[in-house]
C-alpha cells in the first residue's frame, strides 16, 4: 500500500500536530526523503516525539524506517517508468543531462573566482572525501595535476583528521560530500576550521553542516538517497570539479598550458611504439 494512501486513511485519527506532519509529507514528499528530522521539525514546528509517534501510527518503527520506505517507494516508481528498452536508455541519458543542467544553474562565476584565488594563495591543498566522494577527490587531484597544481586527496578519515590537525591558515581543504552531512568529513573539516585553514566544499545544499563551516560552497544537485553511488551523483561532482579546474586554468592560462605540455611529454615518453 502506498504511503500516501495510508496517510489519507489514517488522517482523521491523527492529532492536530500529527496532521501538520501528514500535510507536509503529502505536499513535499522530497523534503522528507532528503531532509533530516531537525529540518522537518523546523519547517512544521513539532517535536521529535510527535514525529516518531506519527511514524508509528502509520506502522513504522520510527522516522528512519519511515524515511527509507518513502525513498524505496519513490525509487521504485521512477524505475518502473522505463518499461521498454528504448525508454530505459532514454531515462538513463536524460537523468545525466538533467543533472548537469541543474548543476550548471547552481554555479556562478563569483564562487569560481573566489575558489581560484584560494587555490592560488594556498601553500598546501588537500581534498577530503569519503566513499564515492573519496573517489571524486582522487579524480580532482588528477585534474589539478594536469594544470600544474599539486594537491593531495585523502579518503581515510583517520588521515583526514591527522592532516587537519597540522594545517595552517595558508592551507586549503576541499571537502566533497553530496549530502553535506557525512559525519567523518564534517569532523575533519571542523578540525581544519579550528586551525584557520580555508575550506571549499562541493556539496548539494547551502544549509548542510559541511556547507555551513565552509568559506566557499560549490553546489551539486544530485538527489540520490536510495540510489547511492549512482552515476548522476558522480557526474554532478565531476562537472563542478571540471568547472573549477577550467576556470582556474583560464585565469592562469600560460602556466597551466606549460604544465599540460610537460605532462603530455612525460606521458608520451611512456607510450609503446
Amino acid at each position: 500500500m502506498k504511503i500516501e494512501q495510508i496517510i489519507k486513511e489514517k488522517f482523521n485519527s491523527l492529532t492536530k500536530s500529527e496532521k501538520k506532519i501528514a500535510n507536509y509529507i503529502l505536499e513535499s514528499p522530497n523534503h522528507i526523503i532528503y531532509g533530516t528530522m531537525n529540518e522537518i521539525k523546523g519547517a512544521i514546528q513539532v517535536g521529535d516525539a510527535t514525529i516518531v509517534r506519527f511514524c508509528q501510527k502509520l506502522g513504522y518503527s520510527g522516522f528512519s524506517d519511515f524515511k527509507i520506505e518513502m525513498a524505496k517507494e519513490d525509487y521504485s516508481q521512477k524505475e518502473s517508468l522505463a518499461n521498454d528498452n528504448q525508454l530505459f536508455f532514454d531515462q538513463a541519458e536524460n537523468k545525466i543531462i538533467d543533472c548537469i543542467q541543474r548543476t550548471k544553474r547552481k554555479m556562478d562565476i563569483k564562487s569560481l573566482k573566489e575558489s581560484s584565488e584560494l587555490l592560488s594563495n594556498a601553500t598546501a591543498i588537500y581534498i577530503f572525501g569519503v566513499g564515492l566522494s573519496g573517489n571524486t577527490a582522487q579524480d580532482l587531484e588528477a585534474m589539478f595535476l594536469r594544470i600544474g597544481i599539486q594537491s593531495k586527496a585523502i579518503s581515510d578519515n583517520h588521515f583526514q583528521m591527522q592532516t587537519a590537525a597540522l594545517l595552517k591558515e595558508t592551507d586549503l581543504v576541499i571537502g566533497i560530500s553530496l549530502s553535506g552531512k557525512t559525519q567523518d568529513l564534517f569532523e575533519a573539516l571542523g578540525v581544519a576550521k579550528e586551525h584557520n585553514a580555508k575550506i571549499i566544499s562541493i556539496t548539494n545544499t547551502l544549509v548542510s553542516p559541511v556547507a555551513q563551516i565552509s568559506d566557499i560552497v560549490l553546489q551539486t544537485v544530485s538527489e540520490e538517497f536510495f540510489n547511492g553511488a549512482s552515476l548522476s551523483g558522480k557526474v554532478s561532482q565531476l562537472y563542478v570539479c571540471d568547472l573549477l579546474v577550467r576556470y582556474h586554468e583560464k585565469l592562469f592560462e600560460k602556466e597551466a598550458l606549460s604544465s599540460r605540455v610537460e605532462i603530455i611529454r612525460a606521458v608520451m615518453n611512456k607510450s609503446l611504439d
Side-chain angles (χ1 to χ4, degrees):
M1 185 182 294
K2 291 185 177 181
I3 291 176
E4 179 180 347
Q5 183 180 344
I6 296 174
I7 292 174
K8 290 179 178 179
E9 287 182 358
K10 294 183 177 292
F11 191 84
N12 291 333
S13 65
L14 301 176
T15 65
K16 183 178 179 180
S17 294
E18 290 167 353
K19 286 179 180 178
K20 288 174 64 177
I21 302 172
N23 288 326
Y24 183 75
I25 293 171
L26 294 174
E27 293 170 4
S28 310
N30 279 356
H31 290 175
I32 301 296
I33 297 173
Y34 302 110
T36 65
M37 183 179 283
N38 284 334
E39 290 169 348
I40 295 163
K41 280 167 30 183
I44 54 182
Q45 299 298 304
V46 298
D48 291 23
T50 303
I51 294 176
V52 172
R53 282 197 303 270
F54 169 81
C55 295
Q56 291 174 341
K57 282 188 177 182
L58 267 57
Y60 303 98
S61 61
F63 177 71
S64 295
D65 188 31
F66 175 70
K67 181 174 178 175
I68 290 171
E69 190 62 29
M70 283 199 67
K72 182 174 74 173
E73 187 175 291
D74 178 68
Y75 177 76
S76 297
Q77 287 174 350
K78 290 176 180 177
E79 290 299 306
S80 67
L81 294 176
N83 52 18
D84 61 56
N85 288 340
Q86 188 58 48
L87 211 58
F88 173 77
F89 291 124
D90 290 344
Q91 184 190 46
E93 177 188 17
N94 292 336
K95 192 172 185 180
I96 293 171
I97 293 172
D98 178 65
C99 186
I100 291 175
Q101 290 175 339
R102 290 190 298 126
T103 305
K104 177 184 174 182
R105 290 195 289 270
K106 290 287 185 180
M107 297 298 294
D108 65 89
I109 293 298
K110 181 175 180 291
S111 295
L112 289 176
K113 182 178 180 180
E114 292 174 349
S115 298
S116 183
E117 290 174 355
L118 292 183
L119 287 169
S120 299
N121 296 327
T123 54
I125 300 170
Y126 297 95
I127 311 168
F128 291 175
V130 178
L132 171 72
S133 297
N135 295 334
T136 303
Q138 294 177 334
D139 293 329
L140 182 55
E141 178 186 355
M143 290 179 183
F144 276 148
L145 188 61
R146 285 280 181 172
I147 62 170
I149 295 178
Q150 296 191 46
S151 60
K152 177 64 177 176
I154 304 176
S155 57
D156 182 277
N157 180 246
H158 288 266
F159 288 134
Q160 289 175 354
M161 293 290 282
Q162 292 174 51
T163 300
L166 298 175
L167 294 177
K168 305 181 296 294
E169 61 181 11
T170 55
D171 295 331
L172 170 66
V173 178
I174 300 174
I176 305 177
S177 168
L178 281 175
S179 69
K181 301 169 186 174
T182 307
Q183 183 174 343
D184 286 344
L185 177 64
F186 177 71
E187 290 174 349
L189 292 181
V191 175
K193 192 76 171 180
E194 290 173 2
H195 287 76
N196 299 314
K198 299 297 185 295
I199 299 173
I200 297 172
S201 63
I202 298 175
T203 188
N204 274 6
T205 65
L206 297 174
V207 297
S208 67
V210 165
Q212 289 294 296
I213 63 171
S214 302
D215 297 289
I216 300 171
V217 180
L218 303 177
Q219 280 188 268
T220 50
V221 297
S222 180
E223 296 179 338
E224 300 292 339
F225 177 78
F226 201 74
N227 190 22
S230 71
L231 180 58
S232 60
K234 178 74 170 179
V235 166
S236 181
Q237 290 180 330
L238 289 177
Y239 179 62
V240 170
C241 291
D242 189 59
L243 289 177
L244 175 59
V245 171
R246 286 180 178 274
Y247 187 82
H248 187 80
E249 183 177 19
K250 178 182 176 182
L251 294 183
F252 300 90
E253 184 176 359
K254 184 176 180 179
E255 297 91 333
L257 182 59
S258 176
S259 296
R260 283 189 181 275
V261 169
E262 292 302 318
I263 289 172
I264 290 173
R265 182 175 288 117
V267 172
M268 287 181 64
N269 290 337
K270 288 293 185 180
S271 299
L272 296 174
D273 293 330

